[in-house]
């Protein structure tokens, strides 16, 4: 069971959250090729390692936030707000 | 090699203390060059090698497996085989697979223990009942056997479930495919491996693919932990690790890797001789030949490459199982595990060429590709041998994620596995 740090409520059980998938995906303008639009909708890095992703504290405060999480260890290296830039993860994680 | 299994060979070996069985297949060291290399020694990779040799007479083939054959999802799945999909393209594909399964023990001379015990999808609500009728109609239109069961008919087939008036999830009816059932997962991997090996295929274990060798953009070989191997046709059948391998060749896939978990109880006396799937509560249950209750869950819904499975989902699936089978409440669980599955947006596979010339892929089976091992191997072998898509695979191309012609079984059938 992961303990996830909601930026508003603090550490809570994984059961209270829903993962919203990869974050920081920029929507292309509407006049683009099918390949660009397909890439935007469906094609992902799917990394075996650190993944920047969205979570929602659905059965808590209901807020969305971003997390940097390792997809093998499930360690959460950083939690940051939706509009924040990608945090510097080189120091080995900012999770408190 | 070449030993034929039969009642007679069993009797003969039995009388001589089982000392003379030969290994079922040859554990090969890699040669420097092949006509075709398959990456991944799961069911799909092994079946591809077998059908390359059998259907297309291409035998200078290697299956390159990072660990041991069948150690991925093929050896971790709950072995449900069925073909009750909604769309015609899927129905054709999966029913071709089920038909191959029906003849596979004979074809491979290896008992894959196919047990067509039926699979029942339970309906717990009025909405579920409508869904059952819709699915049954679609299946019949596709020429697939389907029976709509009343509550009493489900109760007659699976009296062990809770049919009492105060059941938390009342069972109001079900959708039965009689030809569906289970097969022995290890036997499918080993049966294909043995038959492919007998036709000359090299099965190379403990050999990881770490890169590709390309000339003018086209594939001419793979870099492995046991050195460089040349081949100008390479097939990927690596399930949850497909994205990692695609990235070695410089392209992306519409795949997300998730953990899917299952668990078994201690063995008990015969209790359930069919498979029950309860999409509404998120559990499905069968009983293995050893007597263990085999319980499968839905996905752990966050990207993962950890073959463990989250305890949050374990709790959910056990809760759901007890709601339907209160009689199991004193049962001890023996093992829980997970496999990493390759989920795409429409829950339909990808079988065909990649953007890199010479490189083909079979992936996207997600939570339900065990049933598709025969057809996945058949169609990938066809693409590798002829350079053209098999007609069954025509609709299941990578290109559909650009054209938008998805085959959305996820929303349609509402059932995993
Ligand atoms: C818990 C669970 C329950 C399931 N239940 C069902 C079910 O009831 N019915 C059903 O139809 N399906 C089910 N599935 C899905 C099914 O198991 C898979 O779709 C199917 O087994 C995929 O087969 P495969 O050969 O493609 O993959 P795998 O069997 O996973 O084989 C892929 C192989 O590739 C190897 N590999 C990866 N990377 C490399 C590399 N770099 N170099 C060399 N080798 C590599 C891996 O080691 C692995 O052995 C279930 C899956 C799970 C996890
Ligand atoms: Zn919160």
């Amino acid at each position: 069971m992961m303990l996830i740090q909601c930026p508003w409520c603090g550490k809570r059980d994984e059961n209270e959250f829903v993962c919203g998938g990869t974050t920081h995906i920029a929507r292309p303008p509407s006049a683009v090729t099918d390949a660009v639009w397909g890439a935007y909708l469906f094609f992902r890095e799917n990394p075996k390692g650190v993944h920047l992703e969205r979570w929602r504290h659905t059965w808590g405060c209901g807020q969305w936030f971003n997390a940097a999480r390792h997809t093998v260890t499930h360690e959460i290296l950083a939690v940051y707000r939706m509009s924040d830039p990608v945090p510097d993860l080189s120091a080995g994680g900012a999770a408190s | 090699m070449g030993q034929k299994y039969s009642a007679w060979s069993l009797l003969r070996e039995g009388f001589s203390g089982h000392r003379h069985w030969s290994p079922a297949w040859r554990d090969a060291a890699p040669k420097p060059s092949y006509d075709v290399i398959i990456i991944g020694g799961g069911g799909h990779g092994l079946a591809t090698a077998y059908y390359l040799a059998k259907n297309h007479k291409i035998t200078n083939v290697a299956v390159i497996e990072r660990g041991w054959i069948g150690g991925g999802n093929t050896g971790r799945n709950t072995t449900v085989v069925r073909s009750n999909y909604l769309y015609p393209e899927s129905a054709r594909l999966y029913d071709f697979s089920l038909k191959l399964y029906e003849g596979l023990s004979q074809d491979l001379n290896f008992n894959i223990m196919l047990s067509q015990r039926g699979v029942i999808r339970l309906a717990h609500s009025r909405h579920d009942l409508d869904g059952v009728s819709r699915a049954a109609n679609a299946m019949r239109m596709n020429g697939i056997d389907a029976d709509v069961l009343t509550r009493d008919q489900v109760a007659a087939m699976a009296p062990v479930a809770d049919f009492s008036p105060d059941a938390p999830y009342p069972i109001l009816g079900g959708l039965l495919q009689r030809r569906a059932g289970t097969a022995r997962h290890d036997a499918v991997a080993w049966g294909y491996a043995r038959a492919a090996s007998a036709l000359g295929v090299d099965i190379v274990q403990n050999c990881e693919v770490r890169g590709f060798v390309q000339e003018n953009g086209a594939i001419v070989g793979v870099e492995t932990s046991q050195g460089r191997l040349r081949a100008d046709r390479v097939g990927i059948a690596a399930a949850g690790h497909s994205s990692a391998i695609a990235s070695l060749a410089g392209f992306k896939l519409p795949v997300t890797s998730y953990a899917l978990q299952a668990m078994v109880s201690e063995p008990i006396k015969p209790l359930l001789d069919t498979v029950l799937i309860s999409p509404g509560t998120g559990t499905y249950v069968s009983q293995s030949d050893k007597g263990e209750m085999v319980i499968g869950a839905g996905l752990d819904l966050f990207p993962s490459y950890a073959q463990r499975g989250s305890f949050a989902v374990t709790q959910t699936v056990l809760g759901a199982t007890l709601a339907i089978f209160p009689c199991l409440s004193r049962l001890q669980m023996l093992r829980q595990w997970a496999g990493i599955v390759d989920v795409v947006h429409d829950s339909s596979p990808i079988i065909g060429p990649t953007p890199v010339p010479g490189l083909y892929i079979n992936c996207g089976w997600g939570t339900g590709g065990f049933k598709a091992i025969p057809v996945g191997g058949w169609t990938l072998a066809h693409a590798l041998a002829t350079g053209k898509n098999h007609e069954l695979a025509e609709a299941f191309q990578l290109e559909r994620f650009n054209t938008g012609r998805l085959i959305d079984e996820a929303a349609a059938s509402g059932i995993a596995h």
Side-chain angles (χ1 to χ4, degrees):
Chain A
M1 179 88 71
M2 289 189 286
L3 271 181
I4 301 175
Q5 173 95 24
C6 170
W8 289 273
C9 312
K11 282 198 168 143
R12 299 295 184 90
D13 282 355
E14 173 190 330
N15 311 45
E16 297 184 14
F17 298 84
V18 166
C19 181
T22 304
T23 189
H24 303 300
I25 298 173
R27 184 189 179 103
S30 43
V32 288
T33 61
D34 287 352
V36 171
W37 194 251
Y40 160 65
L41 285 180
F42 302 119
F43 290 75
R44 299 289 177 262
E45 292 292 342
N46 193 25
K48 186 172 186 174
V50 178
H51 185 226
L52 304 179
E53 60 197 20
R54 296 175 167 192
W55 285 83
R56 181 172 185 241
H57 193 188
T58 308
W59 289 280
C61 64
Q63 298 280 359
W64 285 96
F65 57 92
N66 287 325
R69 190 182 54 91
H70 197 286
T71 58
V72 180
T73 63
H74 295 177
E75 186 187 0
I76 297 173
L77 305 169
V79 164
Y80 56 106
R81 298 194 181 187
M82 292 307 285
S83 50
D84 286 351
V86 181
D88 177 15
L89 299 169
S90 54
S96 55
Chain B
M1 283 305 302
Q3 187 174 17
K4 189 164 168 12
Y5 297 152
S6 63
W8 164 241
S9 70
L10 193 61
L11 203 65
R12 190 185 56 219
E13 295 300 330
F15 280 118
S16 57
H18 293 289
R19 274 172 284 117
H20 305 294
W21 292 111
S22 54
W25 46 275
R26 196 167 39 86
D27 197 14
K31 293 187 293 189
S33 155
Y34 290 95
D35 292 340
V36 180
I37 287 175
I38 315 289
I39 305 172
H44 283 273
L46 294 163
T48 304
Y50 172 64
Y51 292 120
L52 272 172
K54 186 185 174 214
N55 296 356
H56 304 280
K57 312 289 175 252
I58 300 174
T59 56
N60 185 23
V61 173
V63 177
I64 306 296
E65 166 54 48
R66 179 175 67 172
W68 61 95
I69 61 164
N73 295 341
T74 299
R76 294 165 186 269
N77 84 93
T78 47
T79 77
V80 176
V81 299
R82 58 181 180 84
S83 62
N84 50 358
Y85 283 73
L86 204 77
Y87 290 105
E89 296 88 343
S90 320
R92 271 204 302 274
L93 187 79
Y94 289 101
D95 206 52
F96 186 85
S97 204
L98 187 53
K99 285 189 180 125
L100 286 177
Y101 261 135
E102 285 169 340
L104 202 59
S105 293
Q106 292 300 325
D107 185 30
L108 300 179
N109 178 231
F110 201 99
N111 187 1
I112 61 146
M113 298 166 76
L114 177 69
S115 162
Q116 292 176 293
R117 58 182 71 182
V119 172
I120 304 174
R121 166 178 150 191
L122 299 176
H124 300 294
S125 66
R126 173 64 211 274
H127 179 80
D128 285 354
L129 283 174
D130 289 347
V132 160
S133 305
R134 177 181 180 228
N137 287 337
M139 286 162 65
R140 290 195 187 134
M141 302 263 293
N142 292 329
I144 311 286
D145 64 300
D147 288 298
V148 176
L149 302 184
T150 62
R151 176 185 187 280
D152 291 348
Q153 286 170 318
V154 180
M157 284 185 72
V160 61
D162 186 0
F163 290 92
S164 63
D166 52 355
Y169 296 97
I171 294 169
L172 306 180
L175 174 65
L176 168 66
Q177 184 181 20
R178 287 185 201 277
R179 285 167 58 237
T182 58
R184 176 78 203 165
H185 49 6
D186 302 322
V188 170
W190 272 54
Y192 273 119
R194 172 170 171 269
S197 179
L199 294 174
V201 169
D202 277 0
I203 292 163
V204 183
Q205 300 188 108
N206 299 308
C207 183
E208 183 177 31
V209 170
R210 294 180 175 165
F212 288 97
V213 194
Q214 280 168 268
E215 275 169 19
N216 303 321
I219 293 291
V220 293
V222 295
E223 300 287 1
T224 77
S225 53
Q226 298 191 33
R228 174 177 291 194
L229 314 178
R230 298 195 72 94
D232 55 15
R233 277 171 292 170
V234 175
I236 306 171
H241 287 82
S242 300
S243 299
I245 293 174
S247 80
L248 296 174
F251 67 96
K252 275 196 222 171
L253 288 170
V255 167
T256 304
S257 296
Y258 293 101
L260 180 68
Q261 54 178 297
M263 54 215 78
V264 293
S265 73
E266 59 190 328
I268 52 176
K269 287 185 176 172
L271 190 71
L272 181 66
D273 63 0
T274 183
V275 182
L276 294 188
I277 301 187
S278 167
T281 64
T283 181
Y284 62 103
V285 181
S286 65
Q287 189 169 19
S288 74
D289 294 324
K290 276 188 283 183
E292 301 149 325
M293 299 309 289
V294 181
I295 300 171
L299 291 168
D300 287 14
L301 277 172
F302 53 87
S304 176
Y305 285 88
Q307 293 185 128
R308 326 186 260 277
S310 164
F311 188 65
V313 175
T314 315
Q315 271 181 328
T316 305
V317 66
L318 288 176
T321 306
L322 287 187
I324 297 170
F325 302 99
C327 65
L328 298 182
S329 66
R330 308 282 285 275
L331 211 56
Q332 314 262 358
M333 298 310 288
L334 270 191
R335 291 189 303 281
Q336 175 270 9
W337 65 90
I340 302 306
V341 297
D342 40 339
V343 175
V344 298
H345 203 81
D346 59 357
S347 295
S348 287
I350 300 165
I351 320 162
T354 69
V356 180
L359 188 58
Y360 295 79
I361 195 163
N362 162 334
C363 72
W365 299 102
T367 61
F370 176 70
K371 64 176 76 67
I373 284 172
V375 75
W378 188 285
T379 52
L380 181 62
H382 183 97
L384 284 162
T386 65
K388 296 193 186 74
N389 290 324
H390 190 279
E391 51 142 341
L392 287 172
E394 203 62 75
F396 298 99
Q397 297 305 308
L398 194 49
E399 192 48 33
R400 74 176 186 273
F401 294 93
N402 292 333
T403 61
R405 206 197 171 296
L406 303 188
I407 300 165
D408 199 354
E409 288 293 342
S413 58
I415 339 172
H417 326 295

